[in-house]
Amino acid sequence: MRPQDRGLFYVRIQRVETEFENMSRQMTGAKMIVECLKDQGVDTIFGYPGGAVLPIYDEVFQQNAIQHILVRHEQAAVHAAEGYARSTGKPGVVLVTSGPGATNAVTGLTDALLDSIPIVVLTGQVPTFMIGNDAFQEADTVGITRPCTKHNWLVKETAALSETIHEAFHVATTGRPGPVLIDIPKDVQFASAAYTPIKKARVSHYQPPVKGDMASIEELVAAIETAKRPVFYTGGGVINSGPAASQLLRELVEATDFPITSTLMGLGAYPGSGKNWLGMLGMHGLYEANLAMHGCDLMINIGARFDDRITGVVDAFSPGSKKAHIDIDPSSINKVIHADIPIVGDVAHVLEDVLKVWKSRGRKTDKSGLQEWWAKIDDWRSVDCLKFEQVSQVIRPQHALSRLEYLTKDHDRYITTEVGQHQMWAAQYLNFDDPNRWMTSGGLGTMGYGFPASVGVQVAHRDSLVINVAGEASWLMNMQEMGTAVQFKLPVKQFILNNERLGMVRQWQELLHGERYSHSWSEALPDFVKLAEAFGAKGIRVDHADDLDEAIKEMIAYDGPVIMDCLVEKHENCLPMIPSGAPHNEMLLSESSTKDAIGSKGAVFV
């Protein structure tokens, strides 16, 4: 064979191989979806089948690389994916059907959007030729979910499916994380097309900047060098940025010796046992944290969004401070509070540059000013705003969580919560020394979040102790997930503080509505022990303070799902509390935490 012919021969062979490769990559849309998920490293799907996603479920059945967790309600699927994502740092994946399957997912999507949780939700849709005809189980899923997702897609051609899925993962996890949704008609799932590998996904159009402006970083460092009353105010953005961000934050705090506080979503980014820790701030934050925020001269906001539960009255929020704000999302800066030093960028990248610049300039701080500032903070700490007395056999909720903390702190522990008083008590009395150990619904405040979130966490961490701190009212909203826990042998512990009340609603009615308890007392509650047994789980009931420790130990030791019904004081208020309309330096404290206790209802303004 002549050399020139040999070259043509090889070209033809390459063309045949390419054509064969393309033919071998032809697959149905349903199979393509599963292949995309594998390529993205997905190992778990939370979902519930229905007619519009049966082709996908058929492909799920025919493979073993991805496990599917069958929930009992689509809302629970999204919350479980949130728990999985928050505890692992990986995106959670949800698969639900069209119509009510998709609409049931809306609460979870909104929850994930407000708390910046990366999840990818795949929904089935009626065939493309039936869209708009009010077909059985049809809903305008893209229209309904547009306000509660970072982005969503309706895929009308199988050839566009793989690229869309890969793009969706990119959008969910890049910049400020959040939920995305892909609506997939049934005929798109049945039809065939060539699979586009992940490397060909279109992602260049969405590349948020991660490096902060160096001039602004130098301005922040100059402020750090001269501040007399500084405070770090951190949020969930530190945790979302990844382990490096938390480590850099800890290094910066220890090096500068500045005090640090956190939002509800940021707990664990800095150790709760750390010497510079002031505790959580905000409406139910600690006295010393709130007064430090009110009296500081330099506030360094790292990955928080100035939520109204943090700021209180905006005009009275930290009135004398210079405010720096580091955030990956430019829309969060200057939205609520004006930032004197705005820095748009990823927390880890910005903190790395702040440390480099600060060290290069000599590691300077105003040490005498800091010494006076810490002396003032220690005075505030002496108030001991979380002090309580367990004087009778009626269990106080603070005591229950203090004992839970003591008996579980040495375990490989993850905590989820429902929403209400118990959520705030958990944030106050449980310590978190590491990020990704605390899963709660912050922005939306979703009752029913905690139980399915604990399922998602336990799926991701099979050998860890996962506890959902709950109120009986919140827990009942997704109680059906006991079936999921039992089916998949997930030893999640449901620690219910049962006061037979809608606790936070009742508290506000007492303090703001003349003690008119309109529909805030739970009626016809189930026997939680019998309910657990009916599902095939273990039930424990405790109503006596002397029995509490043994009940908690029994809950921990049981190798399976547990419902622990802990009956607590019915009219306990969650304090400290900044009343609605008050600034940070006007707090409602318990009588136990101050010698100047006056008034009634076991509380006093300070």
mmCIF file with all atom_site columns, all heavy atoms in Angstrom, residues 449-462:
data_model
loop_
_atom_site.group_PDB
_atom_site.id
_atom_site.type_symbol
_atom_site.label_atom_id
_atom_site.label_alt_id
_atom_site.label_comp_id
_atom_site.label_asym_id
_atom_site.label_entity_id
_atom_site.label_seq_id
_atom_site.pdbx_PDB_ins_code
_atom_site.Cartn_x
_atom_site.Cartn_y
_atom_site.Cartn_z
_atom_site.occupancy
_atom_site.B_iso_or_equiv
_atom_site.pdbx_formal_charge
_atom_site.auth_seq_id
_atom_site.auth_comp_id
_atom_site.auth_asym_id
_atom_site.auth_atom_id
_atom_site.pdbx_PDB_model_num
ATOM 1   N N   . TYR A 1 449 ? -39.498 20.433 58.033 1.00 0.00 ? 449 TYR A N   1
ATOM 2   C CA  . TYR A 1 449 ? -38.191 20.296 57.371 1.00 0.00 ? 449 TYR A CA  1
ATOM 3   C C   . TYR A 1 449 ? -37.313 19.227 58.023 1.00 0.00 ? 449 TYR A C   1
ATOM 4   O O   . TYR A 1 449 ? -36.662 18.434 57.348 1.00 0.00 ? 449 TYR A O   1
ATOM 5   C CB  . TYR A 1 449 ? -37.467 21.646 57.396 1.00 0.00 ? 449 TYR A CB  1
ATOM 6   C CG  . TYR A 1 449 ? -35.988 21.574 57.085 1.00 0.00 ? 449 TYR A CG  1
ATOM 7   C CD1 . TYR A 1 449 ? -35.524 21.682 55.783 1.00 0.00 ? 449 TYR A CD1 1
ATOM 8   C CD2 . TYR A 1 449 ? -35.050 21.391 58.113 1.00 0.00 ? 449 TYR A CD2 1
ATOM 9   C CE1 . TYR A 1 449 ? -34.156 21.613 55.502 1.00 0.00 ? 449 TYR A CE1 1
ATOM 10  C CE2 . TYR A 1 449 ? -33.690 21.325 57.836 1.00 0.00 ? 449 TYR A CE2 1
ATOM 11  C CZ  . TYR A 1 449 ? -33.253 21.424 56.541 1.00 0.00 ? 449 TYR A CZ  1
ATOM 12  O OH  . TYR A 1 449 ? -31.910 21.353 56.263 1.00 0.00 ? 449 TYR A OH  1
ATOM 13  N N   . GLY A 1 450 ? -37.271 19.209 59.344 1.00 0.00 ? 450 GLY A N   1
ATOM 14  C CA  . GLY A 1 450 ? -36.233 18.492 60.068 1.00 0.00 ? 450 GLY A CA  1
ATOM 15  C C   . GLY A 1 450 ? -36.209 16.994 59.895 1.00 0.00 ? 450 GLY A C   1
ATOM 16  O O   . GLY A 1 450 ? -35.138 16.391 59.743 1.00 0.00 ? 450 GLY A O   1
ATOM 17  N N   . PHE A 1 451 ? -37.385 16.351 59.948 1.00 0.00 ? 451 PHE A N   1
ATOM 18  C CA  . PHE A 1 451 ? -37.418 14.896 59.858 1.00 0.00 ? 451 PHE A CA  1
ATOM 19  C C   . PHE A 1 451 ? -36.894 14.403 58.513 1.00 0.00 ? 451 PHE A C   1
ATOM 20  O O   . PHE A 1 451 ? -35.953 13.601 58.458 1.00 0.00 ? 451 PHE A O   1
ATOM 21  C CB  . PHE A 1 451 ? -38.835 14.394 60.156 1.00 0.00 ? 451 PHE A CB  1
ATOM 22  C CG  . PHE A 1 451 ? -38.966 12.902 60.234 1.00 0.00 ? 451 PHE A CG  1
ATOM 23  C CD1 . PHE A 1 451 ? -37.862 12.062 60.235 1.00 0.00 ? 451 PHE A CD1 1
ATOM 24  C CD2 . PHE A 1 451 ? -40.221 12.303 60.317 1.00 0.00 ? 451 PHE A CD2 1
ATOM 25  C CE1 . PHE A 1 451 ? -37.989 10.676 60.308 1.00 0.00 ? 451 PHE A CE1 1
ATOM 26  C CE2 . PHE A 1 451 ? -40.361 10.930 60.400 1.00 0.00 ? 451 PHE A CE2 1
ATOM 27  C CZ  . PHE A 1 451 ? -39.245 10.116 60.386 1.00 0.00 ? 451 PHE A CZ  1
ATOM 28  N N   . PRO A 1 452 ? -37.440 14.861 57.374 1.00 0.00 ? 452 PRO A N   1
ATOM 29  C CA  . PRO A 1 452 ? -36.874 14.390 56.101 1.00 0.00 ? 452 PRO A CA  1
ATOM 30  C C   . PRO A 1 452 ? -35.425 14.828 55.910 1.00 0.00 ? 452 PRO A C   1
ATOM 31  O O   . PRO A 1 452 ? -34.635 14.101 55.301 1.00 0.00 ? 452 PRO A O   1
ATOM 32  C CB  . PRO A 1 452 ? -37.793 15.002 55.043 1.00 0.00 ? 452 PRO A CB  1
ATOM 33  C CG  . PRO A 1 452 ? -38.568 16.057 55.730 1.00 0.00 ? 452 PRO A CG  1
ATOM 34  C CD  . PRO A 1 452 ? -38.661 15.676 57.163 1.00 0.00 ? 452 PRO A CD  1
ATOM 35  N N   . ALA A 1 453 ? -35.040 15.989 56.437 1.00 0.00 ? 453 ALA A N   1
ATOM 36  C CA  . ALA A 1 453 ? -33.636 16.395 56.346 1.00 0.00 ? 453 ALA A CA  1
ATOM 37  C C   . ALA A 1 453 ? -32.752 15.413 57.087 1.00 0.00 ? 453 ALA A C   1
ATOM 38  O O   . ALA A 1 453 ? -31.660 15.057 56.622 1.00 0.00 ? 453 ALA A O   1
ATOM 39  C CB  . ALA A 1 453 ? -33.452 17.802 56.907 1.00 0.00 ? 453 ALA A CB  1
ATOM 40  N N   . SER A 1 454 ? -33.219 14.928 58.245 1.00 0.00 ? 454 SER A N   1
ATOM 41  C CA  . SER A 1 454 ? -32.429 13.942 58.996 1.00 0.00 ? 454 SER A CA  1
ATOM 42  C C   . SER A 1 454 ? -32.303 12.640 58.214 1.00 0.00 ? 454 SER A C   1
ATOM 43  O O   . SER A 1 454 ? -31.276 11.958 58.296 1.00 0.00 ? 454 SER A O   1
ATOM 44  C CB  . SER A 1 454 ? -33.055 13.690 60.375 1.00 0.00 ? 454 SER A CB  1
ATOM 45  O OG  . SER A 1 454 ? -34.258 12.942 60.302 1.00 0.00 ? 454 SER A OG  1
ATOM 46  N N   . VAL A 1 455 ? -33.324 12.292 57.452 1.00 0.00 ? 455 VAL A N   1
ATOM 47  C CA  . VAL A 1 455 ? -33.251 11.112 56.588 1.00 0.00 ? 455 VAL A CA  1
ATOM 48  C C   . VAL A 1 455 ? -32.141 11.294 55.548 1.00 0.00 ? 455 VAL A C   1
ATOM 49  O O   . VAL A 1 455 ? -31.315 10.399 55.322 1.00 0.00 ? 455 VAL A O   1
ATOM 50  C CB  . VAL A 1 455 ? -34.616 10.863 55.905 1.00 0.00 ? 455 VAL A CB  1
ATOM 51  C CG1 . VAL A 1 455 ? -34.471 9.864  54.753 1.00 0.00 ? 455 VAL A CG1 1
ATOM 52  C CG2 . VAL A 1 455 ? -35.642 10.367 56.921 1.00 0.00 ? 455 VAL A CG2 1
ATOM 53  N N   . GLY A 1 456 ? -32.098 12.470 54.916 1.00 0.00 ? 456 GLY A N   1
ATOM 54  C CA  . GLY A 1 456 ? -31.065 12.738 53.923 1.00 0.00 ? 456 GLY A CA  1
ATOM 55  C C   . GLY A 1 456 ? -29.669 12.716 54.518 1.00 0.00 ? 456 GLY A C   1
ATOM 56  O O   . GLY A 1 456 ? -28.726 12.201 53.904 1.00 0.00 ? 456 GLY A O   1
ATOM 57  N N   . VAL A 1 457 ? -29.524 13.258 55.732 1.00 0.00 ? 457 VAL A N   1
ATOM 58  C CA  . VAL A 1 457 ? -28.217 13.255 56.398 1.00 0.00 ? 457 VAL A CA  1
ATOM 59  C C   . VAL A 1 457 ? -27.798 11.830 56.727 1.00 0.00 ? 457 VAL A C   1
ATOM 60  O O   . VAL A 1 457 ? -26.647 11.437 56.517 1.00 0.00 ? 457 VAL A O   1
ATOM 61  C CB  . VAL A 1 457 ? -28.265 14.112 57.681 1.00 0.00 ? 457 VAL A CB  1
ATOM 62  C CG1 . VAL A 1 457 ? -26.941 13.992 58.440 1.00 0.00 ? 457 VAL A CG1 1
ATOM 63  C CG2 . VAL A 1 457 ? -28.551 15.569 57.349 1.00 0.00 ? 457 VAL A CG2 1
ATOM 64  N N   . GLN A 1 458 ? -28.746 11.021 57.229 1.00 0.00 ? 458 GLN A N   1
ATOM 65  C CA  . GLN A 1 458 ? -28.405 9.655  57.616 1.00 0.00 ? 458 GLN A CA  1
ATOM 66  C C   . GLN A 1 458 ? -28.055 8.802  56.399 1.00 0.00 ? 458 GLN A C   1
ATOM 67  O O   . GLN A 1 458 ? -27.169 7.944  56.471 1.00 0.00 ? 458 GLN A O   1
ATOM 68  C CB  . GLN A 1 458 ? -29.565 9.021  58.380 1.00 0.00 ? 458 GLN A CB  1
ATOM 69  C CG  . GLN A 1 458 ? -29.216 7.711  59.054 1.00 0.00 ? 458 GLN A CG  1
ATOM 70  C CD  . GLN A 1 458 ? -28.439 7.893  60.347 1.00 0.00 ? 458 GLN A CD  1
ATOM 71  O OE1 . GLN A 1 458 ? -29.002 8.203  61.381 1.00 0.00 ? 458 GLN A OE1 1
ATOM 72  N NE2 . GLN A 1 458 ? -27.123 7.680  60.295 1.00 0.00 ? 458 GLN A NE2 1
ATOM 73  N N   . VAL A 1 459 ? -28.713 9.035  55.286 1.00 0.00 ? 459 VAL A N   1
ATOM 74  C CA  . VAL A 1 459 ? -28.365 8.324  54.050 1.00 0.00 ? 459 VAL A CA  1
ATOM 75  C C   . VAL A 1 459 ? -26.912 8.608  53.671 1.00 0.00 ? 459 VAL A C   1
ATOM 76  O O   . VAL A 1 459 ? -26.176 7.714  53.245 1.00 0.00 ? 459 VAL A O   1
ATOM 77  C CB  . VAL A 1 459 ? -29.309 8.733  52.900 1.00 0.00 ? 459 VAL A CB  1
ATOM 78  C CG1 . VAL A 1 459 ? -28.775 8.262  51.555 1.00 0.00 ? 459 VAL A CG1 1
ATOM 79  C CG2 . VAL A 1 459 ? -30.706 8.162  53.132 1.00 0.00 ? 459 VAL A CG2 1
ATOM 80  N N   . ALA A 1 460 ? -26.487 9.863  53.846 1.00 0.00 ? 460 ALA A N   1
ATOM 81  C CA  . ALA A 1 460 ? -25.123 10.255 53.484 1.00 0.00 ? 460 ALA A CA  1
ATOM 82  C C   . ALA A 1 460 ? -24.092 9.809  54.512 1.00 0.00 ? 460 ALA A C   1
ATOM 83  O O   . ALA A 1 460 ? -22.920 9.631  54.176 1.00 0.00 ? 460 ALA A O   1
ATOM 84  C CB  . ALA A 1 460 ? -25.048 11.770 53.312 1.00 0.00 ? 460 ALA A CB  1
ATOM 85  N N   . HIS A 1 461 ? -24.527 9.612  55.768 1.00 0.00 ? 461 HIS A N   1
ATOM 86  C CA  . HIS A 1 461 ? -23.601 9.285  56.858 1.00 0.00 ? 461 HIS A CA  1
ATOM 87  C C   . HIS A 1 461 ? -24.195 8.119  57.657 1.00 0.00 ? 461 HIS A C   1
ATOM 88  O O   . HIS A 1 461 ? -24.702 8.292  58.767 1.00 0.00 ? 461 HIS A O   1
ATOM 89  C CB  . HIS A 1 461 ? -23.380 10.504 57.754 1.00 0.00 ? 461 HIS A CB  1
ATOM 90  C CG  . HIS A 1 461 ? -22.949 11.724 57.006 1.00 0.00 ? 461 HIS A CG  1
ATOM 91  N ND1 . HIS A 1 461 ? -21.651 11.957 56.635 1.00 0.00 ? 461 HIS A ND1 1
ATOM 92  C CD2 . HIS A 1 461 ? -23.670 12.773 56.531 1.00 0.00 ? 461 HIS A CD2 1
ATOM 93  C CE1 . HIS A 1 461 ? -21.581 13.110 55.976 1.00 0.00 ? 461 HIS A CE1 1
ATOM 94  N NE2 . HIS A 1 461 ? -22.789 13.622 55.890 1.00 0.00 ? 461 HIS A NE2 1
ATOM 95  N N   . ARG A 1 462 ? -24.114 6.948  57.061 1.00 0.00 ? 462 ARG A N   1
ATOM 96  C CA  . ARG A 1 462 ? -24.804 5.773  57.595 1.00 0.00 ? 462 ARG A CA  1
ATOM 97  C C   . ARG A 1 462 ? -24.385 5.418  59.020 1.00 0.00 ? 462 ARG A C   1
ATOM 98  O O   . ARG A 1 462 ? -25.180 4.897  59.796 1.00 0.00 ? 462 ARG A O   1
ATOM 99  C CB  . ARG A 1 462 ? -24.551 4.572  56.685 1.00 0.00 ? 462 ARG A CB  1
ATOM 100 C CG  . ARG A 1 462 ? -25.255 4.651  55.343 1.00 0.00 ? 462 ARG A CG  1
ATOM 101 C CD  . ARG A 1 462 ? -26.672 4.171  55.435 1.00 0.00 ? 462 ARG A CD  1
ATOM 102 N NE  . ARG A 1 462 ? -27.385 4.256  54.156 1.00 0.00 ? 462 ARG A NE  1
ATOM 103 C CZ  . ARG A 1 462 ? -28.579 3.721  53.946 1.00 0.00 ? 462 ARG A CZ  1
ATOM 104 N NH1 . ARG A 1 462 ? -29.173 3.052  54.901 1.00 0.00 ? 462 ARG A NH1 1
ATOM 105 N NH2 . ARG A 1 462 ? -29.171 3.853  52.774 1.00 0.00 ? 462 ARG A NH2 1
#
